[in-house]
Amino acid sequence: MIHPEGMTIDRPEGSGDYVFVFFRSRMELRIQALTLLAEPNTFIIYNRTSPYSYKDAEAPLVHDWFHFELEAADEFFGRLKLPLDTLMKARDPLYISRKVNELHWENLQNGTFRHEIIDSIIRCLFMKLSDIRHHVESRQQISKYYDDFLNLRNEVLSSPSTWYSVEDLAERMNMSKSYFQQIYKQFFGLPVVNDIIRNRLGYASYLLKNTTHSISQIAATCGYENDVHFMRQFKRFAGQTPSEYRGRPQSEPKSGYPGTL
């Protein structure tokens, strides 16, 4: 939501439900009796009865938000070690915006499992935020690199047709190849080469189901110069050749592909 002239939200008795707010512009917050400044790309989860207010510290006011209820919410947040009424840094702001947008569109649907899907999206968002917060921030020695690594990864995975060598990526981070690979795996859970290949083949699976491009065209679009190499890797990835996969009955959603961040 964008408010060109700014606005003020003031709930002296809380909202009666939980509220997630992702601040995308600078805000002035009041939580309980504490006043503080929220920088862009920070978020907070307000408890149901917590008094709070926030207003623009710059125009326009830009924020993503949703009200929600979760069964056993206190236990859930306790397990995730996500504190309520606490301002936290968003390490992956694009992920948050995508999830909020996903919630918005799912809320407009009238499917049989609408409520279960919404519940799953919300829980997925908070589990991801917890994972990033504790996996990254607990590693003080390398946490300073996370934002740069995340930006680099998003660039690489958004350009599956471009060839990136590990040496080039390490050089961009001003690191040795071995140290770069070590940190990358600690952040994202798999080696950089495997991450790139998985993303390319995930995109290939999307193109096979949603376009009429030839296998050679798809191979080239996904960064492969050799069709045979592409087909071998794809079969290891999907358990089928590209032609077999294309002919399989459609069961995956068309809105994304495996490997999408």
Side-chain angles (χ1 to χ4, degrees):
M1 297 291 293
I2 300 175
H3 300 274
E5 298 180 359
M7 65 177 297
T8 298
I9 299 293
D10 186 15
R11 295 194 170 93
E13 297 181 358
S15 65
D17 51 18
Y18 296 94
V19 186
F20 174 82
V21 186
F22 173 40
F23 301 109
R24 300 173 62 178
S25 62
R26 191 171 285 104
M27 310 271 190
E28 182 181 311
L29 272 66
R30 186 170 180 82
I31 310 169
Q32 307 289 354
L34 181 66
T35 300
L36 65 158
L37 188 68
E39 294 293 336
N41 295 329
T42 54
F43 68 90
I44 193 168
I45 308 165
Y46 289 114
N47 210 337
R48 303 172 75 212
T49 58
S50 298
Y52 69 90
S53 67
Y54 61 88
K55 63 180 181 179
D56 54 288
E58 63 181 11
L61 181 149
V62 187
H63 61 166
D64 296 343
W65 55 270
F66 58 88
H67 292 248
F68 66 98
E69 291 283 2
L70 286 178
E71 185 176 348
D74 291 340
E75 178 183 344
F76 176 71
F77 288 123
R79 182 166 63 90
L80 297 186
K81 297 180 180 178
L82 278 180
L84 302 179
D85 301 327
T86 303
L87 195 63
M88 291 173 273
K89 179 177 175 59
R91 294 284 185 175
D92 192 347
L94 181 58
Y95 176 83
I96 295 176
S97 289
R98 285 175 172 172
K99 281 299 179 185
V100 175
N101 187 56
E102 189 178 348
L103 277 171
H104 169 70
W105 288 109
E106 191 61 44
N107 193 47
L108 297 178
Q109 307 303 313
N110 195 28
T112 304
F113 302 106
R114 170 173 166 266
H115 293 295
E116 289 87 344
I117 292 171
I118 289 174
D119 184 81
S120 297
I121 294 171
I122 291 174
R123 291 180 185 272
C124 179
L125 168 62
F126 291 138
M127 286 188 285
K128 182 69 172 179
L129 294 179
S130 172
D131 189 53
I132 292 175
R133 184 167 185 259
H134 297 289
H135 182 71
V136 174
E137 294 182 4
S138 64
R139 292 167 168 81
Q140 293 297 327
Q141 186 176 357
I142 65 172
S143 62
K144 60 186 178 182
Y145 299 125
Y146 184 78
D147 290 345
D148 290 336
F149 266 73
L150 183 63
N151 290 334
L152 180 69
R153 184 180 188 239
N154 284 336
E155 176 188 333
V156 171
L157 299 190
S158 296
S159 307
S161 62
T162 303
W163 171 254
Y164 295 91
S165 71
V166 178
E167 291 80 4
D168 290 340
L169 295 176
E171 184 176 347
R172 287 176 58 175
M173 293 290 104
N174 295 315
M175 295 176 178
S176 68
K177 178 181 174 182
S178 60
Y179 189 50
F180 171 81
Q181 290 176 301
Q182 175 188 339
I183 294 180
Y184 192 99
K185 187 173 182 180
Q186 288 189 56
F187 281 150
F188 306 119
L190 73 170
V192 58
V193 173
N194 292 17
D195 202 17
I196 292 172
I197 291 173
R198 186 184 68 167
N199 181 68
R200 287 178 170 179
L201 295 175
Y203 187 42
S205 69
Y206 171 80
L207 293 176
L208 285 166
K209 286 293 188 182
N210 294 277
T211 73
T212 58
H213 298 331
S214 69
I215 291 175
S216 293
Q217 288 175 311
I218 291 174
T221 299
C222 295
Y224 290 87
E225 296 180 357
N226 186 302
D227 292 0
V228 175
H229 181 50
F230 164 69
M231 289 186 283
R232 286 174 179 169
Q233 280 202 338
F234 189 89
K235 187 169 184 179
R236 285 199 296 269
F237 172 78
Q240 296 175 303
T241 66
S243 297
E244 290 170 339
Y245 183 85
R246 172 169 266 172
R248 190 177 71 183
Q250 179 76 14
S251 59
E252 298 83 13
K254 293 189 178 183
S255 59
Y257 59 90
T260 301
L261 293 179

